[in-house]
């Protein structure tokens, strides 16, 4: 039987299919570490066997050889559907299932069918003997199709449908790059499916010629291209939907060894290196490699010796996984935060400058700090702070550039200096052209025209910022300059107030020293004078009869002298209390003992009934003058009482952290207008009935941190209420012991 041209065409097609699928099988085996490679290689292998066996059947004229070749071809054909399902499962990420069990379940049908074909001579289940038939001028062996063939074909097509379902379902839920890839695989696999359907349904040009292997060769080429192009060997395609070439931030795709496999154009500009692919990240940018996975910024993207421009980046990484969830690499995005970092640096510098303002003691020091900020942080060559003094603005601080050009002391800014003075006088911030400025330090520093930022410091003066450039100031530069001006004005105002406070303290200290001196002289002279009076009174007593009027006058002199001496000591105690520090002039004082001491002389000198109700351990914050305070209040009540017998009741009430002492009398009471003014200094001595009186009480209660007021007594009289801070009882009584 001669080899006609039609058969030659089919033989050539099958040989081509065998070569292509055989090469795909070898290539898949070399890359068997990829899950899809094994089932894909298995498919290519069985199709290769199928194509070669069909080629032998078409070339031979021996019926036995043709029968054996046809059986081998059919057995290889029977394994296509199970391997297709395995490939679909592996591709869609379901290869984590129990592979041995799945493989066993899928191979049951083809194994049974193969056994039936091989053992056909031993039974009557299947007939494998081929016959040569001539159809459409083509002579080729034709294998019989019995019940086993149609049964297995039904099972095979069910498996094929399941595989397509897995691929389509995966395409719907997968990322964009996988949709393109899956669509290519599904579309290419339709070629052998259609070819096999044509053969099974009897539409082939010859019943012994199957075009399925040739269609498989064509489909295998497409499927292999899809796998190798998109996924099989490199991680870069997995990131193709996230890698945007026009993204202004550098983007790198790294494999599991942190080797660069892809990048965008921005990365080339940032690293200053054209050939990035294939290089280890640790070699290209060691600092960046060490900071991956941290929140630390990176500024050095170049390798050692790189002279790339300064920039600050925040590394952000994204793990790249394949369909099965395996890590295949990382997507590295370098977010350019140069502007944000510069702003943060300026904010931190402004905070440090504010702390320096707080420590400044004079306004010139504040001005120097402000100028340093303009030079070092805002990076401006021209900077000056002009402070208002009378009808002029005095240059308190100049930038280094200005100071180096100006010879001698810079002139003051006066109303004749036009724009600068107007900006200060009208408190209008703005930008003026330097070639129009009449103030000589500006014109000397700027050669040509430029823009000068002028910001008033409230009423304190002006802040000048400039670089001699005609470029407009950015919104950020204006913002920081305005913040600096506000902080400078506040610092100058604080310095001025502190200077006034220091001067006031100096005056108070001077007045206190003068008061101490005069009081010392007064007490010394009075004390010496009283001693002279007492001595002469004692001498005079020898010459005066005890029953005479002279003795009565002499006694009065001695009593009055003793009172003046006691008054002098009291004044000294008051003066010490006024001039001592707060922590030294107050301490816990027991109320009961102090009242007993203060009221002892009063009870002896007056016909008065005094009742007290005071707890033994009640203490208040006071000092040694507390007894005099109580005595002054009680004496005032006695002197103004209009009853034959003066009755005074003293009680104590606890009011939280306060202690109130109520001194009630049975006198005529206190009118409402005197309740408001009784403790004032201008109340006459006759109204208080004692030289110390109630003004002294008000002074002392203020020093004690308490208060004093009058209330009406029922049915008659007045109640003096003295409110004290509660003292530490244990401290008071331990000090007394």
């Amino acid at each position: 039987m001669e080899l006609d041209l039609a058969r030659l065409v089919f033989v050539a097609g099958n040989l081509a299919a065998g070569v292509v699928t055989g090469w795909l099988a070898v290539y898949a085996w070399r890359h068997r570490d990829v899950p899809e490679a094994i089932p894909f290689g298995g498919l290519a292998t069985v199709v290769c066997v199928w194509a070669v066996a069909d080629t032998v059947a078409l070339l031979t004229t021996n019926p036995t050889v043709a029968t054996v070749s046809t059986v081998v071809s059919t057995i290889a054909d029977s394994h296509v559907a199970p391997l297709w399902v395995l490939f679909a499962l592996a591709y869609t990420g379901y290869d984590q299932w129990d592979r041995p069990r799945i493989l066993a379940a899928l191979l049951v049908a083809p194994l049974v069918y193969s056994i039936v074909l091989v053992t056909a001579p031993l039974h009557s289940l299947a007939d494998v003997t081929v016959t040569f038939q001539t159809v459409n001028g083509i002579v080729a062996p034709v294998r019989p199709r019995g019940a086993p063939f149609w049964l297995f074909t039904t099972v095979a097509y069910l498996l094929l449908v399941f595989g397509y379902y897995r691929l389509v379902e995966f395409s719907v839920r997968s990322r964009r790059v996988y949709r393109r890839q899956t669509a290519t695989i599904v579309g290419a696999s339709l070629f052998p499916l259609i070819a096999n359907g044509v053969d099974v349904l009897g539409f082939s040009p010859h019943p012994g010629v199957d075009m399925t292997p040739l269609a498989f060769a064509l489909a295998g080429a497409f499927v292999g291209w899809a796998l190798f192009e998109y996924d099989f060997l490199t991680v870069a395609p997995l990131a193709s939907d996230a890698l945007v070439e026009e993204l202004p931030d550098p983007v790198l795709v790294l494999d599991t060894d942190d080797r660069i496999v892809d990048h965008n154009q921005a990365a080339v500009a940032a690293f200053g290196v054209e050939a990035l692919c294939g290089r280890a990240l640790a070699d290209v940018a060691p600092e960046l490699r060490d900071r991956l996975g941290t929140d630390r910024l990176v500024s050095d993207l170049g390798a050692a010796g790189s002279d790339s421009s300064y920039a600050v980046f925040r590394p952000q990484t994204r793990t790249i996984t394949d369909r099965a969830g395996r890590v295949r690499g990382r997507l590295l995005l370098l977010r350019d935060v140069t502007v944000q970092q510069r702003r943060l640096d300026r904010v931190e510098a402004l905070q440090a400058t504010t702390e320096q303002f707080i420590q400044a003691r004079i306004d010139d020091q504040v001005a120097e700090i402000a100028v340093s900020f303009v030079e070092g942080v805002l990076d401006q060559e021209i900077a000056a702070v002009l402070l208002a003094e009378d009808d002029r603005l005095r240059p308190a601080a100049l930038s280094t550039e200005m100071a180096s050009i100006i010879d001698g002391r810079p002139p003051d800014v006066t109303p004749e200096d036009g724009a600068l003075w107007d900006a200060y006088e009208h408190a209008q911030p703005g930008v003026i052209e330097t070639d129009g400025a009449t103030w000589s330090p500006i014109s000397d520093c700027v050669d040509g025209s430029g823009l000068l930022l002028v910001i008033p410091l409230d009423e304190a003066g002006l802040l000048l910022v400039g670089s001699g450039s005609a470029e407009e100031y950015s919104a950020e530069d204006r913002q920081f300059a305005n913040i600096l001006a506000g902080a400078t004005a506040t610092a100058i105002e604080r310095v001025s107030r502190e200077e006034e406070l220091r001067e006031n303290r100096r005056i108070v200290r001077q007045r206190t020293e003068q008061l101490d001196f005069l009081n010392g002289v007064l007490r010394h002279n009075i004390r010496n004078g009283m001693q002279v009076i007492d001595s002469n009174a004692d001498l005079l007593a020898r010459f005066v009869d005890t029953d005479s009027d002279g003795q009565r006058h002499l006694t009065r002199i001695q009593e009055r002298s003793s009172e003046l001496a006691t008054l002098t000591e009291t004044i000294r105690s008051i003066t010490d209390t006024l001039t001592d520090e707060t922590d030294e002039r107050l301490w816990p004082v027991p109320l009961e003992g102090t009242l007993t001491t203060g009221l002892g002389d009063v009870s002896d000198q007056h016909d008065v009934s005094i009742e007290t109700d005071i707890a033994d351990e009640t203490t208040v914050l006071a000092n040694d003058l507390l007894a005099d305070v109580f005595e002054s209040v009680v004496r005032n009540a006695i002197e103004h009482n209009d009853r034959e017998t003066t009755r005074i009741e003293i009680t104590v009430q606890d009011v939280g952290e306060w202690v109130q002492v109520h001194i009630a009398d049975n006198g005529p009471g206190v009118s409402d207008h005197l309740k408001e003014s009784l403790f004032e200094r201008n109340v006459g001595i006759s109204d208080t009935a004692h030289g110390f009186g109630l003004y002294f009480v008000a002074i002392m209660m203020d020093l004690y941190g308490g208060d004093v007021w009058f209330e009406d007594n029922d049915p008659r009289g007045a109640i003096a209420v003295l409110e004290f801070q509660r003292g530490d009882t244990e401290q008071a009584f331990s000090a007394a012991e």
Side-chain angles (χ1 to χ4, degrees):
M1 181 177 59
E2 296 181 359
L3 191 65
D4 55 76
L5 181 60
R7 290 178 62 197
L8 184 61
V9 171
F10 288 115
V11 168
N14 283 336
L15 285 177
V19 172
V20 172
T21 53
W23 178 84
L24 289 175
V26 173
Y27 195 86
W29 176 254
R30 291 178 179 177
H31 301 283
R32 57 186 176 276
D33 57 315
V34 180
E36 299 93 327
I38 299 300
F40 178 77
L43 269 174
T45 300
V46 296
V47 173
C48 177
V49 173
W50 183 0
V52 172
D54 276 359
T55 300
V56 173
L58 289 174
L59 292 176
T60 187
T61 59
N62 188 320
T64 303
V65 174
T67 299
V68 173
S69 299
T70 303
V71 170
V72 172
S73 171
T74 304
I75 293 175
D77 174 14
S78 66
H79 287 78
V80 169
L83 290 174
W84 168 255
V85 172
L86 287 177
F87 170 76
L89 292 176
Y91 181 82
T92 57
Y94 284 86
D95 59 322
Q96 68 270 25
W97 291 358
D98 192 344
R99 289 187 179 183
R101 293 185 179 181
I102 295 176
L103 183 62
L106 292 175
L107 292 181
V108 168
L111 285 177
V112 171
Y113 185 45
S114 299
I115 293 174
V116 170
L117 294 179
V118 172
T119 60
L122 304 177
H123 53 75
S124 61
L125 295 177
D127 184 10
V128 296
T129 303
V130 300
T131 58
F132 288 91
Q133 299 180 10
T134 302
V135 179
N136 296 325
I138 302 173
V139 180
V142 178
R143 57 186 176 184
R145 295 176 177 178
F149 170 81
W150 293 109
L151 178 61
F152 178 77
T153 299
T154 302
V155 173
Y157 270 85
L158 290 176
L159 292 176
L160 291 175
V161 170
F162 176 75
Y164 278 106
Y165 165 75
R166 292 282 346 126
L167 290 174
V168 173
E169 189 270 340
F170 172 76
S171 177
V172 172
R173 61 178 173 83
S174 65
R175 288 158 45 190
R176 178 167 52 89
V177 62
Y178 294 132
R179 291 175 187 154
R180 295 195 303 267
Q181 184 178 359
T182 306
T184 301
I185 294 173
V186 172
S189 64
L190 291 177
F191 292 126
L193 181 65
I194 295 173
N196 187 258
V198 169
D199 178 67
V200 170
L201 296 177
F203 297 115
S204 173
H206 190 286
V209 177
D210 191 355
M211 295 182 294
T212 304
L214 180 60
F216 256 118
L218 181 62
F222 278 104
V223 173
W225 172 81
L227 291 176
F228 302 153
E229 175 68 17
Y230 286 122
D231 185 28
F232 217 48
L233 302 178
T234 177
V235 71
L238 294 176
S240 61
D241 59 339
L243 180 62
V244 181
E245 183 62 31
E246 299 301 324
L247 194 67
D249 295 321
V251 179
L252 300 176
V253 180
L254 309 176
D255 61 15
T256 54
D257 297 324
D258 283 337
R259 190 172 299 277
I260 302 173
V261 296
D262 201 0
H263 60 82
N264 63 354
Q265 190 60 34
V268 174
F271 286 91
V273 178
E274 287 288 342
L276 286 175
C277 289
R279 301 183 60 181
L281 183 63
D283 296 335
V284 177
E287 180 184 2
L288 175 60
R289 173 63 181 82
D290 295 338
R291 295 190 178 184
L292 290 184
T294 68
D295 293 331
R296 299 174 60 189
L297 302 179
V298 60
S299 58
D300 183 12
L301 290 184
S306 175
D307 57 354
S308 57
S309 59
Y310 174 80
V312 180
F313 298 91
R314 184 184 302 279
Q316 297 177 349
T317 58
R318 170 188 171 188
T319 301
I320 301 175
T321 58
D322 59 14
R323 294 174 302 275
R326 294 178 296 269
V327 176
R328 302 295 300 276
R330 287 190 286 184
L331 182 69
L332 173 59
L333 171 64
L334 299 174
R335 183 70 66 187
D336 190 345
V337 295
T338 306
V339 175
Q340 296 91 322
Q341 185 62 33
R342 182 180 64 180
R343 185 177 182 83
L344 179 60
D345 292 341
R346 286 185 169 186
V347 170
E348 292 177 351
L350 187 60
Q351 181 179 0
T353 300
T354 303
E355 294 176 356
Q356 295 177 14
F357 280 154
I358 295 174
Q359 299 174 0
R361 301 299 299 272
I362 59 176
D363 51 8
D364 282 18
Q365 187 177 1
V366 173
E368 291 288 349
I369 295 172
V371 168
S372 297
F373 182 89
V374 174
E375 288 183 296
V377 180
L378 298 185
D379 196 24
Q380 301 294 321
E381 299 176 353
I382 298 176
V385 173
L386 309 177
L387 298 182
E389 291 185 359
D390 299 329
D391 57 349
R392 59 193 177 90
L393 297 176
R394 175 180 61 87
L398 300 177
S399 62
T400 304
E401 181 71 17
M402 296 181 69
S404 63
I405 295 177
I406 297 173
D407 185 14
R409 182 183 181 279
D412 296 336
V413 174
T414 63
E416 287 73 23
D417 288 309
L420 290 181
W421 184 264
D422 290 341
Y424 162 70
E425 190 174 34
H426 300 291
Q428 293 292 335
V431 177
I432 64 174
E433 295 184 1
T434 55
D435 57 0
T438 59
W439 191 46
S440 58
I442 298 296
S443 57
D444 292 342
C445 294
V446 180
D447 184 13
S449 62
L451 297 179
L452 185 67
L453 187 60
V454 181
I455 308 175
L457 304 174
D458 295 334
E459 297 180 356
L462 289 178
L463 171 66
L464 307 183
V465 178
S467 62
S469 171
E471 296 181 0
E472 183 63 40
Y473 293 96
S474 66
E476 180 180 330
D477 287 341
R478 286 174 176 265
Q479 181 183 19
F480 275 95
N482 285 323
I483 295 174
L484 175 65
T488 304
T490 301
I492 292 174
E493 182 181 1
R494 179 190 58 80
V495 166
S496 177
R497 290 182 177 178
E498 288 184 353
E499 288 179 352
E500 293 178 0
L501 181 59
R502 285 194 294 269
E503 178 63 18
N504 292 336
R505 287 176 177 173
R506 185 191 65 79
I507 294 174
V508 170
R509 185 167 57 251
Q510 182 181 20
R511 294 290 186 268
T512 301
E513 292 174 355
Q514 294 171 352
L515 179 62
D516 288 342
F517 172 74
L518 295 176
N519 283 332
V521 173
L522 179 62
R523 291 196 304 269
H524 176 74
N525 291 337
I526 292 178
R527 185 168 56 250
N528 290 342
M530 291 302 100
Q531 289 177 354
V532 172
I533 293 174
D534 287 342
S535 298
N536 283 277
D538 291 341
L539 292 175
L540 186 61
R542 301 175 184 179
F543 304 100
V544 177
D545 294 335
T546 56
D547 297 332
S548 64
D549 291 338
Q551 181 62 44
R552 187 171 58 256
H553 294 303
L554 181 59
T555 301
R556 180 58 179 161
I557 291 174
Q558 290 174 329
E559 291 175 353
R560 189 58 176 166
S561 175
S562 177
E563 290 178 1
L564 290 176
T566 302
L567 179 61
T568 301
E569 292 302 321
T570 303
I571 292 175
R572 184 181 68 176
S573 298
I574 296 174
T575 303
D576 293 341
T577 301
L578 292 173
T579 56
D580 283 346
E581 295 293 333
T582 303
D583 295 339
E584 299 176 358
R585 67 192 182 194
L586 299 179
W587 56 85
V589 178
L591 274 181
E592 185 180 25
T594 304
L595 275 170
T596 301
T597 302
L599 302 181
D601 292 340
V602 177
S603 299
D604 295 339
Q605 297 171 6
H606 299 276
D607 182 14
V608 60
S609 172
I610 301 178
E611 297 179 3
T612 60
D613 183 12
I614 304 173
D616 294 340
E617 297 182 354
T618 303
T619 60
V620 297
L621 281 182
N623 58 13
D624 291 336
L625 293 174
L626 180 58
D628 296 306
V629 172
F630 290 139
E631 180 181 352
S632 296
V633 176
V634 173
R635 284 186 181 276
N636 180 77
I638 294 173
E639 294 295 335
H640 285 81
N641 198 290
D642 57 356
R643 293 298 182 95
E644 292 182 2
T645 301
T646 301
R647 290 196 306 270
I648 295 178
E649 295 180 2
I650 302 177
T651 58
V652 175
Q653 293 183 6
D654 292 333
V655 185
E657 296 298 321
W658 299 87
V659 175
Q660 291 182 353
V661 178
H662 291 228
I663 303 176
D665 63 63
N666 62 341
V670 180
S671 61
D672 290 339
H673 79 278
L674 274 181
K675 287 179 183 177
E676 301 294 332
S677 61
L678 197 57
F679 297 100
E680 296 179 359
R681 182 178 180 182
N682 59 357
V683 176
I685 295 177
S686 61
D687 291 327
T688 61
H690 193 278
F692 259 171
L694 298 182
Y695 179 58
F696 161 74
V697 175
I699 292 176
M700 297 310 300
M701 292 303 297
D702 183 61
L703 291 175
Y704 294 161
D707 198 4
V708 59
W709 65 89
F710 275 102
E711 296 178 355
D712 294 331
N713 194 12
D714 186 25
R716 191 176 190 275
I719 302 176
V721 182
L722 291 81
E723 188 174 59
F724 298 88
Q725 299 181 68
R726 185 181 300 279
D728 188 333
T729 302
E730 293 183 2
Q731 182 180 354
F733 284 95
S734 62
E737 294 176 357

